[in-house]
Amino acid sequence: MSDWDGYGERDARGRRDDGYGRGSGQAQPEGAQRMRHVQRQPQRPARPPVPPPGGRPGQGVPQQAQGPGSGYDSGYNTGQVYGRPSGPGGPGQRPPGGPGGPVRPQGPAPDWRKRIKIGSIAVVSVLLVTGIGTYFWADSQVRREVDLSKVIERPKEGDCTTYLIVGSDSREGMSDEEKKKLHTGSAEGKRTDSMMILAKCSSGNTMISLPRDSDVEIPSFVGSQSGKKFPSQGRRVKLNAAYAEDGPELLVRTVEFNTGLRIDHYAEIGFAGFANIVDALGGVELDIEQAFKDEKSGADFKAGKQTLNGEQSLAFVRTRYAFAESDLQRTKNQQKFLSALASQAATPGTVLNPFSLYPVMGAGLDTLIVDKDMGLWDMGQMFFAMKGISGGDGVSLNMPISGQRGGNLVWDKAKVQQLVKEIQNDQKVTVKGQ
């Protein structure tokens, strides 16, 4: 065998000298030798350095970390298969941002609890601002024109809050076309078309209708405009005559004198406001027990459940000549309708929805006349008390009647006194009326 086998010469000890690490015996250094088992790949053009975030051009390339997992390519083959760079999508997938683009860092997961909390605070803030704005707007629309301080010789205060609710035949603000449509006529001035006492008590609410034909005595009073005191003359008239003579203050004085019950608040609404509120609500659903028709009021109803618009509602509460009981049946219909109206208006869909609340309030507030001490809170309490009666939380009745005098309805004094005593002491009402 020859000492030369293509891998170098052997030294004195018989070891091969392959020329690596020990120098070469030749005078000139060896040139590069081609390695057949290594295939060179074409070199890619150098990519310009990417400046660090926030850096300025010309600051140089940031220091590259070295070591396993650092992403630094030293140029040595570590045995891995070369190909397209692997990314989040696996081998052969392009990194986010497109070819050559920067890799977008994955942000933290959204904090839904924080977002819900911020959203809830925003909703509550909007509701508060809307509620406060609605309160001041509505408060500015109310007509506080009745001064109960002018009422003299008043009964003692009771444990319940009492309201005198009046529906007047005022045609204020109505056009001739509206008067014709609503069958109101064109009489000047205004008179009471309906009167009732609402007692809001912890023992249960009570609604008492006062027939307009009730026989009452006009007591001494102080004129609401003149301030002059008029002594009692023992005059007996129909109850609605007191309103016609000197307005709400004398009406309150007459009711208190003939019942012995103190009236805490006064509320009055005219024809137009009543009809507009019903239309703003989209009508009021009512179950009419018996069909009736009346040319004077424009009523023409069939028996059964039906939705009444403003015009029909006004005709329903004003009709008296179609019934044998005349005014007594009318007051029962008025109670029934007002309870249904309150029940359908005082719902979350109306109270919490500004698109429903504003039209309803705007339709009636400008025609609503109350006493000077009555606030929006008191009006809300009155409305919910009426709703409670329709829901079974209370009773409704006509003032107990014992007979007639000259066509006027005479109250049953014993029952009236018992009724007033139960309300004053916040006791459950046991008196029955017509």
Side-chain angles (χ1 to χ4, degrees):
M1 176 179 285
S2 170
D3 290 340
W4 173 257
D5 55 8
Y7 290 92
E9 298 180 352
R10 296 180 183 273
D11 58 8
R13 297 182 179 180
R15 294 177 298 185
R16 288 192 181 93
D17 185 3
D18 53 12
Y20 294 100
R22 297 178 179 273
S24 173
Q26 301 178 7
Q28 299 293 332
E30 296 180 346
Q33 298 184 10
R34 179 181 180 85
M35 305 293 290
R36 296 182 180 179
H37 64 287
V38 177
Q39 297 180 359
R40 297 182 181 273
Q41 298 198 13
Q43 295 185 357
R44 299 177 180 176
R47 181 181 300 170
V50 179
R56 297 187 302 271
Q59 287 184 331
V61 180
Q63 184 68 30
Q64 300 290 337
Q66 300 187 18
S70 64
Y72 174 74
D73 185 4
S74 63
Y76 288 95
N77 188 348
T78 58
Q80 66 189 25
V81 178
Y82 288 91
R84 303 178 71 173
S86 61
Q93 299 296 321
R94 296 182 179 180
V103 178
R104 298 177 181 176
Q106 296 290 336
D111 189 347
W112 290 108
R113 290 184 178 180
K114 184 177 181 180
R115 293 186 179 185
I116 293 174
K117 182 178 180 180
I118 294 175
S120 301
I121 293 175
V123 171
V124 171
S125 299
V126 170
L127 291 176
L128 285 175
V129 172
T130 302
I132 294 173
T134 300
Y135 178 89
F136 284 104
W137 168 79
D139 189 70
S140 66
Q141 300 297 309
V142 177
R143 298 168 58 181
R144 295 182 175 87
E145 301 176 0
V146 180
D147 189 357
L148 295 183
S149 66
K150 295 179 180 179
V151 180
I152 62 174
E153 301 175 15
R154 310 195 66 186
K156 66 176 182 179
E157 293 185 2
D159 294 331
C160 301
T161 302
T162 55
Y163 302 82
L164 180 59
I165 303 173
V166 174
S168 76
D169 64 358
S170 171
R171 297 150 178 86
E172 181 181 358
M174 297 177 63
S175 65
D176 292 338
E177 183 179 351
E178 289 174 327
K179 293 176 184 178
K180 182 178 179 180
K181 177 182 177 182
L182 298 177
H183 301 271
T184 64
S186 300
E188 297 297 329
K190 61 180 181 179
R191 287 151 293 277
T192 53
D193 208 58
S194 62
M195 294 162 284
M196 60 187 66
I197 296 174
L198 174 65
K200 181 181 178 300
C201 309
S202 60
S203 60
N205 303 320
T206 303
M207 184 180 290
I208 310 165
S209 287
L210 308 175
R212 56 185 283 178
D213 295 337
S214 297
D215 186 81
V216 296
E217 180 183 341
I218 297 292
S220 59
F221 67 97
V222 173
S224 60
Q225 300 299 324
S226 66
K228 179 182 177 181
K229 185 173 182 178
F230 296 88
S232 173
Q233 299 176 353
R235 291 185 296 129
R236 303 200 70 86
V237 297
K238 292 182 178 181
L239 181 58
N240 64 342
Y243 182 95
E245 186 173 333
D246 198 48
E249 288 84 0
L250 180 55
L251 177 61
V252 171
R253 166 68 173 143
T254 303
V255 170
E256 289 186 343
F257 177 81
N258 287 269
T259 63
L261 183 66
R262 185 184 181 96
I263 300 299
D264 297 311
H265 293 293
Y266 177 91
E268 173 190 328
I269 191 166
F271 283 162
F274 181 83
N276 290 339
I277 288 176
V278 174
D279 287 334
L281 279 171
V284 173
E285 185 179 21
L286 203 66
D287 187 2
I288 299 178
E289 298 177 0
Q290 184 178 357
F292 63 90
K293 185 176 182 179
D294 181 28
E295 293 182 359
K296 291 189 176 181
S297 66
D300 187 4
F301 298 103
K302 297 180 180 179
K305 289 186 177 180
Q306 49 203 287
T307 300
L308 278 58
N309 60 24
E311 178 184 351
Q312 294 170 324
S313 300
L314 191 58
F316 179 82
V317 299
R318 294 185 62 218
T319 298
R320 60 183 302 195
Y321 297 105
F323 310 118
E325 293 181 298
S326 186
D327 205 35
L328 291 178
Q329 181 60 45
R330 182 173 71 161
T331 55
K332 292 178 182 178
N333 287 344
Q334 291 170 350
Q335 290 179 349
K336 182 176 182 178
F337 184 86
L338 286 179
S339 296
L341 173 66
S343 179
Q344 295 177 43
T347 61
T350 300
V351 176
L352 300 179
N353 184 356
F355 297 102
S356 300
L357 182 61
Y358 282 121
V360 172
M361 297 183 71
L365 282 178
D366 57 348
T367 61
L368 181 65
I369 299 174
V370 300
D371 65 271
K372 293 185 176 181
D373 295 326
M374 191 171 184
L376 290 178
W377 173 260
D378 300 306
M379 283 183 269
Q381 292 293 300
M382 178 185 71
F383 218 62
F384 278 96
M386 287 192 292
K387 178 182 178 181
I389 291 176
S390 66
D393 183 20
V395 295
S396 60
L397 68 153
N398 277 320
M399 186 64 81
I401 304 297
S402 62
Q404 293 188 11
R405 180 188 294 120
N408 296 347
L409 300 174
V410 179
W411 294 351
D412 188 321
K413 290 185 178 180
K415 288 185 177 181
V416 170
Q417 290 177 354
Q418 181 184 350
L419 175 62
V420 170
K421 183 179 179 180
E422 289 174 341
I423 292 176
Q424 287 178 333
N425 298 329
D426 197 357
Q427 298 173 349
K428 185 176 180 179
V429 172
T430 60
V431 176
K432 303 296 182 181
Q434 275 73 14

